Amino acid sequence: MLRHVVVVGASAAGLSAAESLRSKGYDGKLTLIGEEPHPPYDRPPLTKQVLSGVWEPERVVLRDQTAISKLDADVRLGQTAVGLDVSQRTLRLGPRTAGPDPARREPQSGQAGTGVEQLAFDGLVIATGVRARRLPGSELAGVHTVRTLDDALALRSALLSGPRVVVVGAGFLGTEVAAAARGLGLDVTLVDPGPAPLQRQFGVRVADLVAQTHSDHGVRLRMNSGVTRFVSTEGRVTGVELTDRTVLAADVVVVAIGAVPATEWLADSRLPIGDGLECDATCRAAPGIYAAGDVASWYNPRFDRRMRVEHRLNATEQGSAVAANLLGADQPFAPVPYFWSDQYDVRLQAYGIFPRDATTTVVHGDPSDRRFAVAYVENGTVVGVLGWNCPPRDLRALRQLVADRAPDLVGR
Amino acid sequence: MKVFVDQDRCVASGQCVFAADGVFDQRDEDGIAVVLDDSPPDDRRAEVQDAAAGCPAVAITVEG
């Protein structure tokens, strides 16, 4: 019988876990801890509507005050977990450390007088997400990352002065930022060591079209280019030096080179840490301790592999699944991951997984019409489907292909 | 029970149609969600609530 559940992380996954606990009948004590000072908010719009200025920042809030009150939870914002004792079932909490990068904070000891508080729990949900990966020189003025609302507002503000923008990293975040900055009419260069944007994610066929789309909209692409250093004057970035020694002049640099799971506070917990907090198929890391969202690495039986998913829908679904399991459901979490990205007039939608060695087949429409879908096939099984402005009915049918075929993987 | 979709928030994921087909559909041209039945019968409440909870864009509201 659970009496006190603590949810560490007050973004989409943590909120979903907290709400699901209540909707599934948990009526014990509930504590929700959020490192940021903001109430739970939605991250996908940050690089889309917020950066482009289409939305006022208030619109990203996930729940109004009434809905948060209905949770009947002790919601602690601006606090962060700094340690976990699994056998004693206690968390150590501290205030959010001032400074731009909490990841660099030294773990604090539990001694009195350091502002550290002990919090006992009997059920725990770890939903601490990820932190933006940084490059040396990130402390320079004009160098940005985009992970939090404050990050997005700072970048939005910087973009309003009409800077020359260099985006480092052509993954989902980098390509969305480049598109938003071009939408504001700015001079934008997109840099990546790979041969084309999103190639790591979706392979050559789709990546070439992504490259073409960005070129068509006036983004300069510097692919096959690494960054050696930032050039600066008086603490402000003025350029980005590439591996071929050319320097791209820049007033604003956006570093979008991926993210790392926020597990540093678990270093002494003896919980298994790999690429994220490693859990079993039910998302359990230890008895009564579960993980959800970007931080969770778990075994997905549908695809017969361990995965960690940084997508918005997964945060909600995994939060809900973990709540059910904490209350005794003990069910494997076997979703078909879903992801979308909006860039210019292109809506990319992806169901499933996209292994590097998968073969690709166009299964709907024609890429030259910019309205098509590609299936990703691994060992004779469709494991992923990517739609590019694909009509919804067709895309839903294709998603079913991924959902239906994948169980065959488990049976073999 | 009354069901609303904020089409300005909708990202065309189609998750609502998976959760509660017949209550929700998607526009053919852009995939944006539409409500087919804004006062569904009470026996569909669980499906509709799943659709609202599972919307990746937080675009669905259920009242009553």
Side-chain angles (χ1 to χ4, degrees):
Chain A
M1 180 73 179
L2 292 172
R3 281 188 297 254
H4 184 199
V5 177
V6 178
V7 179
V8 185
S11 193
L15 178 67
S16 169
E19 288 187 336
S20 300
L21 281 165
R22 288 305 190 209
S23 70
K24 292 175 199 304
Y26 172 68
D27 60 2
K29 194 175 163 198
L30 181 60
T31 304
L32 179 62
I33 295 162
E35 182 177 75
E36 294 181 59
H38 308 291
Y41 64 88
D42 204 17
R43 292 186 203 277
L46 297 183
T47 47
K48 304 176 180 80
Q49 294 94 333
V50 171
L51 216 49
S52 64
V54 175
W55 283 13
E56 291 302 315
E58 293 74 30
R59 288 194 68 179
V60 302
V61 171
L62 281 172
R63 297 291 182 273
D64 61 21
Q65 195 49 54
T66 313
I68 295 287
S69 304
K70 273 192 192 153
L71 268 181
D72 188 22
D74 180 7
V75 181
R76 302 180 177 205
L77 301 178
Q79 271 201 329
T80 186
V82 295
L84 169 64
D85 188 323
V86 173
S87 59
Q88 295 297 311
R89 308 199 82 67
T90 52
L91 280 168
R92 292 197 308 281
L93 301 182
R96 186 188 187 200
T97 312
D101 189 357
R104 288 178 191 159
R105 171 187 64 228
E106 292 297 312
Q108 298 171 32
S109 69
Q111 295 158 357
T114 56
V116 172
E117 176 193 347
Q118 304 273 350
L119 186 65
F121 63 85
D122 43 19
L124 179 66
V125 177
I126 294 171
T128 43
V130 294
R131 300 188 199 286
R133 201 188 292 274
R134 289 163 192 271
L135 287 173
S138 288
E139 71 287 353
L140 292 169
V143 177
H144 295 256
T145 53
V146 190
R147 173 66 192 165
T148 66
L149 177 58
D150 293 344
D151 291 342
L153 293 177
L155 178 57
R156 164 81 187 153
S157 167
L159 295 183
L160 290 177
S161 61
R164 293 164 296 179
V165 180
V166 173
V167 180
V168 180
F172 298 124
L173 202 73
T175 50
E176 286 190 3
V177 168
R182 270 307 295 153
L184 296 170
L186 301 173
D187 180 308
V188 179
T189 306
L190 185 56
V191 179
D192 195 280
L198 298 185
Q199 182 152 328
R200 274 185 307 279
Q201 291 78 10
F202 292 128
V204 179
R205 189 194 292 255
V206 171
D208 286 348
L209 272 180
V210 176
Q212 189 63 51
T213 302
H214 280 269
S215 291
D216 289 350
H217 285 84
V219 172
R220 268 193 297 277
L221 297 178
R222 293 297 299 258
M223 297 295 109
N224 302 304
S225 299
V227 170
T228 47
R229 67 185 183 103
F230 297 142
V231 183
S232 64
T233 304
E234 294 174 356
R236 170 163 284 280
V237 73
T238 56
V240 175
E241 186 187 83
L242 305 182
T243 35
D244 68 0
R245 298 293 171 200
T246 53
V247 174
L248 304 171
D251 308 300
V252 165
V253 175
V254 182
V255 178
I257 54 170
V260 287
T263 53
E264 72 285 345
W265 64 284
L266 297 169
D268 298 333
S269 70
R270 293 191 208 146
L271 290 179
I273 308 292
D275 175 32
L277 175 56
E278 292 190 344
C279 305
D280 66 11
T282 68
C283 308
R284 195 181 78 151
I289 300 177
Y290 291 79
D294 298 3
V295 75
S297 161
W298 91 105
Y299 173 80
N300 184 337
R302 187 184 295 273
F303 296 98
D304 189 24
R305 72 199 70 190
R306 177 165 289 283
M307 55 177 72
R308 188 174 70 77
V309 177
E310 293 181 9
H311 300 336
R312 175 64 180 82
L313 181 63
N314 186 67
T316 302
E317 292 185 338
Q318 201 165 18
S320 176
V322 154
N325 286 342
L326 196 49
L327 298 176
D330 200 29
Q331 289 295 310
F333 179 58
V336 175
Y338 169 72
F339 168 81
W340 83 98
S341 179
D342 297 327
Q343 307 184 10
Y344 315 106
D345 54 354
V346 178
R347 170 160 288 154
L348 292 175
Q349 295 180 281
Y351 288 107
I353 58 173
F354 302 85
R356 252 171 240 203
D357 53 356
T359 54
T360 58
T361 313
V362 175
V363 286
H364 179 86
D366 186 335
S368 60
D369 296 335
R370 300 294 195 266
R371 198 167 167 86
F372 65 96
V374 178
Y376 292 69
V377 179
E378 182 190 59
N379 301 328
T381 302
V382 177
V383 293
V385 169
L386 176 85
W388 181 299
N389 289 338
C390 183
R393 218 164 293 279
D394 304 285
L395 194 59
R396 290 204 305 271
L398 291 168
R399 183 240 189 225
Q400 203 56 45
L401 216 59
V402 180
D404 289 344
R405 293 291 302 283
D408 291 346
L409 283 169
V410 179
R412 273 181 216 158
Chain B
M1 173 171 50
K2 292 288 277 183
V3 183
F4 306 91
V5 167
D6 181 345
Q7 294 187 323
D8 187 32
R9 290 193 86 97
C10 176
V11 296
S13 75
Q15 292 295 323
C16 54
V17 185
F18 292 124
D21 197 3
V23 176
F24 302 97
D25 197 3
Q26 290 178 275
R27 293 199 299 233
D28 283 337
E29 62 273 25
D30 58 7
I32 297 300
V34 290
V35 179
L36 294 179
D37 181 356
D38 68 359
S39 311
D42 222 41
D43 61 1
R44 303 209 66 183
R45 181 176 294 274
E47 291 166 64
V48 171
Q49 282 173 341
D50 279 352
C55 174
V58 208
I60 300 170
T61 314
V62 184
E63 286 179 3

